[in-house]
Amino acid sequence: MTETTTFTIQGTGVVPGYAYAPVIWATARPTLPSGGAPVPEDRREDEVARFNAAAGAVADRLAARASAATGVAAEVLGATASLARDRGWARAVAKLVKGGTSAEVATVGATEQFVETFQKMGGLMAERATDLRDIRDRVVAELSGQPEPGIPHSETAAVLLAEDLAPADTAGLDPATIVALVTRLGGPTSHTAIIARQLGIPCIVAAAGLDRIEEGTAVLVDGTRGLVEIGIDPAVAEERVTEDAARREAIRVWSGPAQTKDGVHVQVLANVQDGASARKSAETQAEGIGLFRTELSFLSAQTEPSIEEQADLYAEVFGAFPGGKVVVRTLDAGSDKPVPFANHQKEENPALGVRGMRLDRTNEGLLARQLDALAEGARRAQVDKPWVMAPMVSTVDEARLFSALARERGISPGIMVEVPAVAILADAFMAEVDFFSIGTNDLTQYTLAADRMSSPLATLTDPWQPAVLRLIAMTAAAGERAGKPVGVCGEAAADPLLACVLLGLGVTSLSMAPTAIPAVGVQLATVTLEQCRAAAQEVLATSTSLEAKERAAELL
Ligand code: PEP
Ligand code: MG
């Protein structure tokens, strides 16, 4: 018998909960060819056909998985299947094969050409590089008889470990057998985290040293603290999982409304991106919309939609919650979400460049036209005084300008708090507007000077960083002094434990992906407002994100 080694691996917990099971490793990526003898001219047509057959087989498999899946999973698999059928990509491969390279080498070469173009475009387009390389690997595996990369089938419960997971891998996961996800790379907003949140399984990303864990080893995953424990007493592990099962069942049956144990109501709202997601959110426990990311409706628009077209969209979103709260955000084009008609300049450092409210400096009239359309959309949906906020505000002058443009149109103005400068001067900003909404994703990125898309920096882009919590506290305090609402609409609001801390810091509403609401609701019901306030004060006194999380977990 081998002695069990006991050790712990620390990562960034992104979906809370416990799971205990043996691990399986996602199948490694295939070995990619780099050269080889040229293909004789008379065999090149066959070589193109061989590529087409392989790409077709991969696309068919993904499409079959898409039709067996539902929701986001089906969308992701469907989108990946269509990438495998992309004509432009197939033409690029055929061109290389006709020049004499093998189908495998041509697949790699053509993919890199596309990846380069996407990466030059930056932001969300650059993220598609992961999808393209995933397709490349599947096709190369098919061509060269290597196992298809991805998740091995498991009949029994297993914790899935991987370097990183491609969207197509995570989309087909079965939560009946895969009970937790742990990746060595990835960040709090990575695909892995999003899908794990949707499936409701514990998830840890950026777990350094993960490769020390061998296939089949039983591990306890603690998604709250970001810990993977190896060699733990099985009885202790099972006990924690059993306790957690009760919490998960409570989440499954939770029907709202959100309130603390002592009956204090907490406004929970949805983050949406278009009319369809707004209507869908109205079927959940969301009491309204706390963030409508308008730019996500226009990611591929080459020309600016007319005021009429925009008004239709806004009226549709307002219509999802008749008489309810709907907070619209003006275009946050730029950086990770470039919009072709709005962002024209190539920037060296787009996260620090012309994005959000700053577009008003380069695209004259764009903001005013959007506000005209919003006022028209609100009129059509019979909303008296719509709430509209500007993203990426960093000076009081910008807040004043936005406020004036909105008020002229009968709109109630607010701003997002995403730049530390706003939290530091919160009272001066609050004097200009009616409300704040804290965007913790960007506030964390700008406070820690760490790219929110970077997986090696996942421990920095964690909203539990005490410096971020202090800025949130300063912002909420300014709201309290002015008697104006301060919501949170970044990912922090979807973290059940952090949601309680935010409430304790004085935040007045929490807006999140609707699927995250029940877990937050269940956690809020276990604590009193007083407990949240006490925990918030304790957490403010910590100096590391881990310490902050542990202190909060002890107290709440
Ligand atoms: C945020 O920054 O937290 C936010 C909600 O805005 P987005 O994620 O769209 O940048
Ligand atoms: Mg933001």
Side-chain angles (χ1 to χ4, degrees), residues 271 291 293 295 329 332 336-337 355 416 418 438-443 452 489-491:
N271 290 354
L291 169 63
R293 290 180 162 107
E295 68 283 354
R329 177 172 77 184
D332 187 23
D336 55 323
K337 294 166 290 192
R355 65 171 290 199
M416 302 244 342
E418 298 179 292
I438 307 176
T440 49
N441 308 337
D442 277 315
L443 185 61
R452 62 192 264 186
C489 63
E491 284 299 305

Side-chain angles (χ1 to χ4, degrees), residues 4-8 20 217-220 228-234:
T4 317
T5 359
T6 305
F7 60 98
T8 300
Y20 181 65
T217 313
V219 301
L220 177 71
V228 186
E229 294 183 53
I230 297 93
I232 186 170
D233 177 352

Side-chain angles (χ1 to χ4, degrees), residues 295-306:
E295 68 283 354
L296 296 187
S297 286
F298 305 126
L299 282 183
S300 52
Q302 300 297 322
T303 52
E304 186 182 331
S306 67

Side-chain angles (χ1 to χ4, degrees), residues 82 111 151 170 183 202 423 554-555:
S82 18
T111 308
I151 300 159
T170 43
T183 59
E554 278 161 28
L555 293 164

Side-chain angles (χ1 to χ4, degrees), residues 20-53:
Y20 181 65
V23 307
I24 52 169
W25 271 95
T27 309
R29 300 274 129 193
T31 320
L32 298 177
S34 55
V39 176
E41 222 166 321
D42 60 341
R43 293 218 354 252
R44 292 182 190 164
E45 279 302 329
D46 291 350
E47 196 64 2
V48 172
R50 205 163 70 79
F51 165 80
N52 287 334

